[in-house]
Amino acid sequence: MTGISFDPTAPVFVRRCPSYDTPELMSAVSDALAAIGMKKDDFRGKTVVIKPNLVMKKPSEAAATTHPAVLDALLSYLDNCDTKQVLIAESMGGPYTESALRAVYEVCGIAEVVSHHNAALNFDTTAGTLPAPDGEASKMFDIITPVMEADVLINLCKLKSHSLTRMSGAIKNTFGTIPGLVKFEYHARFSDYTDFNRMLVDLSAVLHARCVMLDLCDAIVGMEGNGPTGGTPRQIGCLLASRNPFALDTLASALLSCEHEVPMITEAARRGYCPVDADKVNAVGDGWRELILSDFAPPETAHTGRNPLHWLPNLFGGKLYRWFSPHPVIRTLSCVGCGECARSCPVHTIELTKNKDGKKKAHIKPDACIRCFCCQELCPYNSVDIKKNPLMKLIARMGL
Ligand code: SF4
Ligand code: SF4
């Protein structure tokens, strides 16, 4: 990138929030916006689009999605800003249709919250093209229409572990601006892990360059283990905010004890967008070191960037890498044969076959699998496990 730049010293606001208690959150959101230089006037007369993380229709207690109480607090603030329009927009995993949007908004508790405010839910499922002339991995992105038309975009992300990218915070949440099934095309196009992370940095950067954009992160209760949808809720206890998503994620990675292990952050730091060390982040507000979760469970896949076998993709046409790297396995007992995984697989390597008692079960043809873990992310029954090669398990245990 040459034309897009970020101030690596941009403030990252931290406010300790032990719960989703609404009055406390309202003051936290208001203080967060002030701390990152946003005033009520900045929203006046503007079309403000809020992009939460609604990866799939799960209730807020599952901690896979942005908690509605955080949206409630943000909307309360915006109710007094004399905006032109406030719209909640998300392209979740799976099909991007009006009925799928309606279901996600309902189940995630977003529809109920929005009904109390001067805001609307997006049901427009069209998309546009956003050029990214400075992109290093991609020169163009397909982006959902409300995001293309926003004057102010608020990235209302959720902090959690992620099987593919190690962590999901501000950067990864922008992937949900790409319409529905087109996301699977991106997984196939950027099947190389490094390219996928470079693409995410391009996307986050070009969205921030397109309009006024800010990042607000629900890190009150996050998810550990096999996120973004199949992990376990974990108390983190804070709200984060910044105008620099990369700096926010650098700090967030330290909270989840995966500092220096998140390739998309390493890539952003290489471009000079953010500090590589959380200690160098310009953190303001409450102290954050006491919030570090030293026992935070990583996803089983954990592409850490420290992996000593990272050179394997280039050997023997990638065959060794496929053998060594974690891969998805269907848990046949709980699989109900709904086909969601097959529909979400970018390389169409999952088929539904009937077992002896005539019940449909998913089956993965491993050779073509690109290890994107979309199947694990989107299985509504948590029936996709991640299997690790025993040698890699041993290496991880030895801390190499
Ligand atoms: S693995 Fe999950 S998504 Fe795939 S068919 Fe079985 S239950 Fe459905
Ligand atoms: S089987 Fe799962 S991990 Fe493999 S390519 Fe398909 S969706 Fe991705």
Side-chain angles (χ1 to χ4, degrees):
M1 290 245 175
T2 50
I4 295 180
S5 64
F6 285 83
D7 175 8
T9 67
V12 176
F13 175 82
V14 182
R15 168 62 55 85
R16 293 194 192 190
C17 295
S19 75
Y20 289 104
D21 177 67
T22 304
E24 196 172 313
L25 266 181
M26 281 173 64
S27 74
V29 166
S30 174
D31 292 350
L33 294 176
I36 62 172
M38 297 299 296
K39 302 179 295 300
K40 289 202 164 151
D41 263 2
D42 295 323
F43 300 99
R44 191 182 309 279
K46 302 282 170 55
T47 294
V48 179
V49 173
I50 301 171
K51 195 285 182 204
N53 184 327
L54 305 177
V55 56
M56 72 187 297
K57 46 179 188 180
K58 287 211 164 198
S60 56
E61 306 82 70
T65 54
T66 303
H67 197 285
V70 183
L71 178 65
D72 194 27
L74 177 60
L75 290 176
S76 296
Y77 177 95
L78 292 171
D79 281 345
N80 298 310
C81 290
D82 198 18
T83 57
K84 180 179 175 193
Q85 185 189 18
V86 177
L87 201 58
I88 289 62
E90 162 71 312
S91 165
M92 58 286 174
Y96 183 53
T97 60
E98 187 178 330
S99 60
L101 280 169
R102 204 171 291 285
V104 153
Y105 293 145
E106 288 291 337
V107 175
C108 298
I110 300 301
E112 163 68 17
V113 161
V114 168
S115 69
H116 300 297
H117 294 278
N118 187 19
L121 297 164
N122 173 61
F123 290 102
D124 175 355
T125 55
T126 61
T129 302
L130 179 61
D134 299 321
E136 292 190 11
S138 183
K139 301 285 184 196
M140 182 280 290
F141 286 97
D142 304 274
I143 301 290
I144 58 173
T145 297
V147 171
M148 290 290 286
E149 294 178 348
D151 297 320
V152 180
L153 181 59
I154 303 180
N155 183 20
L156 190 60
C157 54
K158 180 86 171 174
L159 186 57
K160 50 189 177 169
S161 60
H162 197 288
S163 292
L164 179 60
T165 54
R166 186 70 167 85
M167 183 193 102
S168 179
I171 308 171
K172 180 63 176 62
N173 196 41
T174 57
F175 195 51
T177 63
I178 293 174
L181 302 179
V182 178
K183 286 198 281 295
F184 303 138
E185 291 172 22
Y186 278 64
H187 277 291
R189 197 171 132 207
F190 301 101
S191 60
D192 176 89
Y193 186 56
T194 303
D195 286 347
F196 190 77
N197 284 288
R198 290 169 64 229
M199 178 276 293
L200 288 175
V201 175
D202 287 347
L203 173 60
S204 236
V206 76
L207 285 172
H208 279 76
R210 199 202 72 79
C211 68
V212 173
M213 185 163 172
L214 50 134
D215 306 275
L216 200 55
C217 183
D218 168 12
I220 298 171
V221 179
M223 176 180 280
E224 64 179 353
N226 288 332
T229 60
T232 310
R234 177 77 194 263
Q235 176 81 17
I236 303 171
C238 65
L239 189 77
L240 305 170
S242 188
R243 296 288 305 277
N244 181 331
F246 310 107
L248 187 153
D249 276 3
T250 300
L251 187 80
S253 69
L255 300 182
L256 306 192
S257 287
C258 57
E259 192 182 359
H260 307 139
E261 294 179 5
V262 184
M264 59 190 167
I265 300 175
T266 309
E267 169 64 16
R270 182 190 68 76
R271 298 184 194 187
Y273 292 170
C274 62
V276 73
D277 301 318
D279 272 340
K280 301 267 169 46
V281 170
N282 178 17
V284 298
D286 294 338
W288 57 272
R289 286 178 185 79
E290 301 78 10
L291 295 169
I292 293 173
L293 298 168
S294 55
D295 60 346
F296 190 85
E300 285 173 272
T301 49
H303 277 276
T304 64
R306 290 185 311 182
N307 184 336
L309 299 178
H310 247 64
W311 39 268
L312 282 175
N314 302 321
L315 275 185
F316 305 110
K319 278 186 185 155
L320 264 184
Y321 180 66
R322 275 198 288 279
W323 191 72
F324 275 114
S325 62
H327 60 278
V329 176
I330 304 296
R331 205 183 289 161
T332 311
L333 274 180
S334 58
C335 170
V336 300
C338 68
E340 194 61 41
C341 55
R343 285 188 288 278
S344 65
C345 178
V347 291
H348 310 293
T349 194
I350 303 178
E351 55 185 22
L352 294 176
T353 50
K354 283 187 180 167
N355 65 5
K356 282 180 194 150
D357 59 8
K359 287 185 179 154
K360 275 189 182 172
K361 301 285 175 183
H363 173 73
I364 297 173
K365 289 177 276 176
D367 280 356
C369 173
I370 58 172
R371 274 67 163 160
C372 68
F373 303 111
C374 291
C375 49
Q376 186 227 5
E377 179 175 330
L378 296 175
C379 172
Y381 299 92
N382 213 3
S383 290
V384 182
D385 275 339
I386 305 295
K387 195 169 177 200
K388 267 186 167 175
N389 178 283
L391 175 61
M392 296 306 286
K393 272 192 197 167
L394 182 67
I395 287 172
R397 267 206 299 273
M398 290 164 68
L400 294 175

